[in-house]
């Protein structure tokens, strides 16, 4: 087996199509097919089940991919370690859920950028912690702020912030008499606060008149502030204009939430990421 065979298998497993993997790797499709068959002959296993529309990993193929991923990550970390100058430089890719993208977070990014001008910061926004976890696992980002109870095996928590979750509406002097006819604005599937909203409505026997799905915090808050809908979110999302909103308590089991900064466990930590995590803990920011 050659080391390049690992990239071939991982690319095919990722895309589910030999043609797409070949295009991604800039190989001839016949070359990719030949290399996979050679591997299968070498180890006396079948890596993929072939279908007209693509390929799917066999059980042995899944095992192979687990080992191949570890080898790929080790080689990547080796390269990073050997080329890291010690002084923070290069690109720092940080994932962040919409609920955590506050001005306080931007302030710490600004301080980091001033302190380490050789580092280019790249932010990847998402509404789903699952998306960010996958990006960490695929080595697309260095770390991420994720919300809710979503820290999984393979991730290491480097910082943790507590917040409280409430029903948020436009500013009103008295609480609404009924929530039966209220519309609710939520993020797409995968957002923990959408799941919380759906669970709350079901538990209370409420049927929302309308569910409005948005993909940015700006749009969500605009819907709430204009009175179009209510939302269930951490209270920190309205910290810029708290007087423009009314906040109503939820049951205790919904109230507390956590946002954590996580990175890949047992993965190489660049000097750029290391200094970012140190600054984060030094400032003890809250969202």
């Amino acid at each position: 087996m050659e080391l390049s065979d690992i990239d071939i298998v991982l690319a095919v497993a990722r895309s589910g199509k030999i043609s797409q993997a070949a295009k991604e790797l800039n190989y001839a499709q016949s070359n990719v097919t030949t290399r996979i068959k050679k591997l299968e002959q070498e180890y006396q296993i079948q890596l993929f089940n072939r279908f007209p529309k693509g390929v799917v990993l066999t059980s042995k193929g899944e095992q192979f991919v687990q080992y191949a991923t570890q080898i790929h990550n080790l080689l990547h970390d080796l390269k990073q370690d050997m080329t890291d100058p010690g002084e923070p430089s290069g690109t720092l890719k940080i994932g962040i859920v919409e609920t955590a993208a506050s001005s306080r977070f931007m302030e710490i990014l600004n301080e980091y950028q001033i302190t380490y001008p050789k580092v280019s910061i790249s932010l990847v926004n998402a509404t789903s912690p699952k998306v960010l976890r996958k990006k960490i696992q695929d080595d697309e980002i260095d770390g991420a702020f994720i919300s809710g109870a979503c820290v999984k095996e393979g991730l290491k928590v480097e910082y943790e912030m507590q917040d409280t979750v409430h029903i948020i509406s436009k500013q009103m002097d008295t609480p609404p008499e009924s929530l039966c006819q209220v519309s609710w604005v939520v993020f797409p599937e995968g957002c923990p606060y959408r799941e919380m909203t759906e669970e709350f409505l079901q538990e209370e026997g409420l049927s929302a008149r309308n569910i409005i799905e948005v993909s940015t915090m700006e749009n969500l808050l605009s819907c709430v502030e204009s009175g179009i809908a209510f939302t269930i979110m951490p209270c920190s999302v309205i910290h810029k204009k708290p007087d423009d909103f009314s906040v109503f308590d939820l049951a205790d089991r919904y109230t507390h939430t956590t946002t954590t900064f996580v990175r890949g466990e047992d993965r190489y930590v660049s000097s750029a990421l290391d200094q970012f995590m140190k600054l984060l803990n030094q400032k003890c920011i809250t969202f």
Side-chain angles (χ1 to χ4, degrees):
M1 180 181 73
E2 299 177 18
L3 290 177
S4 57
D5 292 337
I6 288 174
D7 292 330
I8 289 175
V9 173
L10 291 178
V12 175
R14 229 178 8 250
S15 64
K17 293 180 181 294
I18 291 177
S19 58
Q20 187 172 329
K23 184 177 180 180
E24 175 187 328
L25 298 170
N26 199 27
Y27 287 167
Q29 184 172 333
S30 58
N31 188 17
V32 172
T33 301
T34 300
R35 297 279 286 276
I36 291 175
K37 288 182 178 178
K38 183 180 177 182
L39 271 178
E40 291 177 327
Q41 291 171 359
E42 180 179 348
Y43 290 100
Q44 294 296 299
I45 59 172
Q46 183 175 339
L47 293 171
F48 296 96
N49 287 316
R50 279 78 168 173
F51 299 98
K53 293 186 178 181
V55 297
V56 177
L57 286 167
T58 63
S59 58
K60 281 294 183 182
E62 290 176 352
Q63 285 182 280
F64 188 96
V65 164
Q66 289 178 357
Y67 283 108
T69 301
Q70 292 176 33
I71 296 170
H72 173 83
N73 289 343
L74 284 171
L75 289 172
H76 176 270
D77 290 350
L78 174 63
K79 181 180 179 181
Q80 293 291 100
D81 199 2
M82 294 300 100
T83 57
D84 193 341
E87 179 185 356
S89 61
T91 301
L92 180 64
K93 298 179 180 179
I94 300 296
I96 185 166
V97 287
E98 283 283 334
T99 51
S102 68
S103 61
R104 297 183 185 95
F105 171 69
M106 294 306 167
E107 287 168 7
I108 198 172
L109 274 187
N110 182 54
E111 181 173 342
Y112 180 88
Q113 189 74 91
I114 293 172
T115 307
Y116 304 108
K118 292 183 180 179
V119 178
S120 175
I121 299 174
S122 175
L123 290 183
V124 178
N125 284 64
T127 57
S128 168
K130 183 178 180 181
V131 171
L132 294 177
R133 288 201 306 267
K134 183 69 165 53
K135 288 184 179 296
I136 292 176
Q137 293 165 353
D138 291 344
D139 203 35
E140 294 180 22
I141 56 178
D142 297 296
F145 290 97
I146 57 178
S147 298
C150 51
V151 178
K152 303 291 185 181
E153 184 179 352
L155 297 179
K156 182 176 181 181
V157 175
E158 293 288 356
Y159 191 75
E160 184 174 283
M161 299 145 283
Q162 303 297 323
D163 205 344
T164 56
V165 181
H166 302 270
I167 296 174
I168 302 174
S169 74
K170 72 172 185 178
Q171 179 58 249
M172 54 181 65
D173 296 329
T174 57
E177 294 183 4
S178 172
L179 295 175
C180 291
Q181 298 300 315
V182 170
S183 295
W184 298 83
V185 57
V186 296
F187 284 138
E189 294 287 348
C191 171
Y193 302 110
R194 177 183 183 136
E195 295 172 5
M196 186 181 296
T197 301
E198 292 172 346
E199 185 178 342
F200 167 77
L201 293 175
Q202 183 176 8
E203 186 179 88
E204 296 295 319
L206 301 172
S207 103
R209 183 178 60 189
N210 188 25
I211 292 289
I212 303 170
E213 184 177 295
V214 298
S215 58
T216 68
M217 182 59 69
E218 181 181 2
N219 288 340
L220 183 142
L221 292 179
S222 293
C223 287
V224 176
E225 189 176 5
S226 64
I228 293 174
F230 284 27
T231 193
I232 292 179
M233 281 283 157
C235 201
S236 57
V237 303
I238 59 170
H239 78 276
K240 290 182 179 180
K241 300 191 295 181
D243 294 337
D244 293 342
F245 301 91
S246 288
V247 174
F248 307 103
D249 291 337
L250 288 162
D252 286 345
R253 69 187 190 87
Y254 291 116
T255 300
H256 301 286
T257 188
T258 302
T259 297
T260 53
F261 182 78
V262 299
R263 64 173 179 86
E265 192 175 29
D266 300 326
R267 295 303 311 276
Y268 172 71
V269 177
S270 68
S271 54
L273 177 59
D274 183 55
Q275 291 303 320
F276 176 78
M277 295 187 301
K278 286 179 179 177
L279 184 61
L280 193 60
N281 280 278
Q282 176 189 342
K283 294 299 179 179
C284 297
I285 66 168
T286 57
F287 292 141

